[in-house]
Amino acid sequence: MKAIVLAAGSGTRMKSGLPKCIHKILGRTLLNIALDTLQEAGIRDIIVVTGCGEELLRASVSANVQFAHQAEQKGTGHAVSVAKEFLNENEDILVLCGDTPLVTAETLHKLAETHTKEGNAITVVSTRTDNPFGYGRIIRPVTDGQFLRVVEHRDLEEGQELVNEINTAVYMFNGKALLDALPLIEPHNAAGEYYLPDSLEIIQSSGLKAGVLLAPDFSEFVGVNNRVQLSQAAEVLKKRINERHMMNGVTITDPNSAWISHDVSIGADTVIYPGVILENTRVGENCVIGPNTRIVGSDISDFTEIDSSVILDSFVGEHTAVGPFAYLRPHSRVGARCKIGDFVEVKNSAIGDNTKASHLTYIGDSDVGSGINFGCGSVTVNYDGKKKFRTVIEDNAFIGCNANLIAPVIVKEGAYIAAGSTITEDVPKKALSIARARQVNKEDWVKRKRG
Ligand code: UD1
Ligand code: CA
């Protein structure tokens, strides 16, 4: 089976500089969501019709597809006709829209099944909604000789606005019936466009059969035409993803406020608190994530606790606590049983097991061993204004409060750095290094000054 995905429209109602189908929900473009569903349904032969913002849109496609070019957007019927050369009379063709990305693989299977079982030349998927405003309505024949048809919102006749069965714009066609119908579609409607749903009447008037698959759940078919609908579609997808995790044993205390993208895995007995955003990330079992945490591109091991923090492209080991208010920047690797506490920033650094930086510390471009303690306010000084350098801190070292380690520098195993030191030279194993001015107490200085 072949599929055509229509994505050439500009999406005027989005009021955007970008083509409509490149807008994202939960980290994926509308078009890629639809394409992923086709893959899931086992459909590999896919043609995407592009036009507005074509280069951007084509570059954003993650699947292996063929493209057809619609130079001018003259309507959905015209959009399918520009893909004509890819179509074959002897095969069934699924048509869907890039702006209706929530349709499920299960529905596509049902559509194929109904289409074949009923011997239809065209099968259209419909659904019911309390608010059909803006959608094309399904007008079913009431007497013999009438055809099943779709009337667009702008073309509704009196009384038809009450029809709450809508066209979802997901169709299955017999290849020959579609190819024969396309040249017969005419732009006789308020918009002056070539409407694909008009093929329903054309196909039936040639004596072939049209059918409807009435889908039970409107939420699968939210069409994204404006930003309000974009947010409605995001709600639907969010709910689907969160329910999948909850069914797999994850507690999500407020599913409304957890934004978890499709490419996230979470182990059982992990608790997700409100305000969590997870993208392209693996979270282990028995973790506590949130509140108010964003984790992207990372790997979070079992039994970790991440509170009010941001973690990007990093690894966190088992039983480690991060936050509140910590920032792990890309290429950081924190070992097991560590503490990365409040206002600690780690960047492009490896940290061994059992190391603690409890507060107000910057660890950048550093190789940090195990069992190390960073005192409050300690800083690896990795940048001289021109170049970045690395700091090496070996196992069991102790970095006193407010110490500056001026890279490149090595603090050897077990060494102690006195609080307030500015370290510019390597520190030997198990040594104490003090690099600050001695304290001088001037007795009675105040009294003398004031006379
Ligand atoms: C369409 C249907 C409507 C249905 C609704 C469901 C038509 C005429 N109407 O309306 O019956 O209820 O979807 O969401 O089909 N596109 C092109 N080239 C064009 C025009 C559109 O590729 O020349 C693409 C758009 O990028 C979009 C899709 O086709 O992805 C649908 O077009 P849109 O203008 O959004 O149609 P609707 O008014 O939503
Ligand atoms: Ca639409």
Side-chain angles (χ1 to χ4, degrees):
M1 192 197 304
K2 215 165 239 168
I4 304 180
V5 184
L6 306 183
S10 65
T12 321
R13 293 165 279 182
M14 293 296 280
K15 309 222 165 99
S16 171
L18 302 169
K20 174 160 68 176
C21 296
I22 210 172
H23 284 269
K24 287 183 179 177
I25 49 183
L26 282 161
R28 261 186 311 171
T29 67
L30 300 179
L31 180 56
N32 280 333
I33 294 172
L35 295 176
D36 285 351
T37 306
L38 289 175
Q39 308 272 322
E40 191 192 331
I43 300 166
R44 300 273 175 268
D45 199 352
I46 303 168
I47 300 118
V48 178
V49 181
T50 57
C52 290
E54 185 160 64
E55 274 172 36
L56 265 181
L57 197 58
R58 289 188 181 191
S60 74
V61 167
S62 54
N64 185 14
V65 302
Q66 289 175 293
F67 290 103
H69 169 67
Q70 188 190 22
E72 245 187 292
Q73 284 66 56
K74 297 187 194 166
T76 47
H78 179 253
V80 170
S81 72
V82 304
K84 227 164 34 188
E85 57 183 297
F86 295 97
L87 308 182
N88 191 325
E89 289 205 341
N90 307 318
E91 63 191 347
D92 285 339
I93 295 149
L94 174 71
V95 177
L96 57 137
C97 297
D99 70 347
T100 313
L102 302 178
V103 56
T104 60
E106 196 190 334
T107 297
L108 298 181
H109 285 143
K110 268 194 211 144
L111 171 60
E113 215 178 271
T114 307
H115 185 75
T116 314
K117 205 172 65 194
E118 294 182 358
N120 296 332
I122 174 172
T123 311
V124 52
V125 181
S126 75
T127 191
R128 291 190 196 282
T129 166
D130 294 340
N131 182 13
F133 186 91
Y135 291 96
R137 311 296 207 284
I138 299 282
I139 308 297
R140 293 185 181 252
V142 273
T143 57
D144 278 355
Q146 285 184 330
F147 293 137
L148 169 75
R149 58 202 179 101
V150 170
V151 177
E152 289 306 308
H153 189 89
R154 287 174 70 174
D155 304 312
L156 291 176
E157 288 154 28
E158 227 182 293
Q160 287 178 336
E161 70 276 6
L162 296 174
V163 175
N164 68 358
E165 184 178 9
I166 61 151
N167 171 25
T168 67
V170 179
Y171 321 83
M172 180 82 83
F173 288 91
N174 160 294
K176 182 166 174 10
L178 177 62
L179 286 166
D180 289 347
L182 286 173
L184 303 177
I185 296 176
E186 296 200 50
H188 295 321
N189 50 62
E193 289 189 355
Y194 295 83
Y195 281 168
L196 184 63
D198 288 356
S199 59
L200 270 169
E201 283 178 85
I202 297 169
I203 288 172
Q204 290 166 96
S205 57
S206 72
L208 296 168
K209 212 178 147 197
V212 187
L213 172 69
L214 176 57
D217 184 3
F218 169 74
S219 74
E220 261 187 62
F221 306 100
V222 176
V224 176
N225 299 312
N226 56 45
R227 310 264 180 167
V228 175
Q229 289 169 323
L230 185 70
S231 79
Q232 287 166 354
E235 286 292 331
V236 174
L237 196 62
K238 176 181 70 177
K239 186 164 181 270
R240 248 186 228 172
I241 292 172
N242 288 350
E243 286 181 359
R244 170 163 60 81
H245 288 297
M246 290 188 278
M247 294 314 280
N248 285 339
V250 177
T251 295
I252 303 181
T253 58
D254 176 12
N256 263 329
S257 77
W259 290 89
I260 301 171
S261 37
H262 72 292
D263 47 10
V264 169
S265 69
I266 308 177
D269 291 321
T270 283
V271 178
I272 307 286
Y273 280 120
V276 169
I277 298 168
L278 302 175
E279 288 172 28
N280 181 26
T281 283
R282 186 195 78 90
V283 177
E285 296 176 358
N286 293 291
C287 297
V288 178
I289 310 292
N292 304 323
T293 289
R294 184 160 75 95
I295 307 178
V296 179
S298 296
D299 189 343
I300 310 297
S301 308
D302 298 349
F303 297 99
T304 54
E305 292 189 17
I306 319 282
D307 180 0
S308 307
S309 293
V310 175
I311 301 180
L312 309 176
D313 300 325
S314 290
F315 171 89
V316 178
E318 284 182 11
H319 293 278
T320 282
V322 177
F325 317 118
Y327 185 16
L328 302 193
R329 288 167 57 196
H331 313 299
S332 295
R333 196 179 167 83
V334 179
R337 294 172 302 280
C338 290
K339 179 166 171 57
I340 304 296
D342 51 278
F343 307 105
V344 174
E345 176 175 334
V346 180
K347 186 211 87 176
N348 189 27
S349 294
I351 296 178
D353 299 340
N354 298 305
T355 286
K356 294 185 170 53
S358 298
H359 13 239
L360 297 159
T361 292
Y362 174 62
I363 302 171
D365 300 312
S366 298
D367 300 301
V368 177
S370 299
I372 288 159
N373 191 82
F374 284 88
C376 179
S378 47
V379 170
T380 57
V381 182
N382 59 331
Y383 186 49
D384 67 359
K386 275 196 183 138
K387 278 189 171 170
K388 301 260 168 81
F389 300 94
R390 292 194 79 81
T391 300
V392 176
I393 305 172
E394 293 183 358
D395 294 352
N396 304 315
F398 181 95
I399 313 298
C401 288
N402 249 21
N404 296 311
L405 307 178
I406 314 276
V409 72
I410 305 177
V411 178
K412 297 252 169 80
E413 196 198 317
Y416 267 59
I417 307 297
S421 294
T422 292
I423 301 297
T424 54
E425 280 163 37
D426 293 356
V427 180
K429 208 168 153 176
K430 296 208 160 55
L432 167 68
S433 186
I434 309 176
R436 57 166 136 91
R438 265 185 188 284
Q439 180 168 337
V440 179
N441 291 340
K442 298 191 176 178
E443 294 287 340
D444 289 334
W445 181 87
V446 176
K447 232 197 257 170
R448 272 186 275 120
K449 179 156 178 144
R450 297 218 174 124

